[in-house]
Amino acid sequence: MLQGVGGVSISVRRFAELDADTLNHENPDVILAPLVSAHYDILDLIRHLQDLGYEGAVRAYCHPLPDLKLVHAEVAQIWPRCDFDLFVVPSVPPVRH
């Protein structure tokens, strides 16, 4: 939930739905995606967005990793000018009743 944030519009899209028409129509300021999913990883998405001419920010979320700098370096190799960052979502133990 985005608390205290006004004038924000959020769209949810599948990887396969991200095409030039969608990006031009929605003109996102930032794209948020998992670092790794069942069908793609952030490097696949970065390549795809670069091919589409996207120039906005990309943020990836992930569970704690030993070295976040490694992911930043891999993205920078593919797309040096990409405004990219990661944020860690801590693992939450299951609630026991």
Side-chain angles (χ1 to χ4, degrees), residues 1 5-6 8 10 18 24 30-31 36 43 51 63 72 79 89:
M1 176 184 288
V5 178
V8 174
I10 298 174
L18 283 175
N24 287 333
V30 64
I31 291 179
V36 178
L43 299 179
D51 289 347
H63 292 292
H72 281 275
W79 191 3
V89 179

Side-chain angles (χ1 to χ4, degrees), residues 8-87:
V8 174
S9 175
I10 298 174
S11 296
V12 177
R13 299 284 178 255
R14 296 182 188 276
F15 184 94
E17 296 173 330
L18 283 175
D19 58 20
D21 288 339
T22 300
L23 288 177
N24 287 333
H25 179 261
E26 294 185 4
N27 193 27
D29 294 319
V30 64
I31 291 179
L32 173 65
L35 183 65
V36 178
S37 78
H39 305 288
Y40 69 92
D41 66 24
I42 200 67
L43 299 179
D44 297 325
L45 180 62
I46 291 287
R47 286 183 192 99
H48 183 62
L49 292 172
Q50 185 180 33
D51 289 347
L52 293 173
Y54 177 71
E55 295 182 358
V58 178
R59 299 295 181 263
Y61 57 91
C62 62
H63 292 292
L65 297 173
D67 191 358
L68 297 177
K69 292 178 190 175
L70 188 62
V71 177
H72 281 275
E74 288 184 71
V75 169
Q77 272 188 321
I78 295 169
W79 191 3
R81 294 184 315 273
C82 181
D83 177 359
F84 175 77
D85 208 353
L86 285 159
F87 64 93

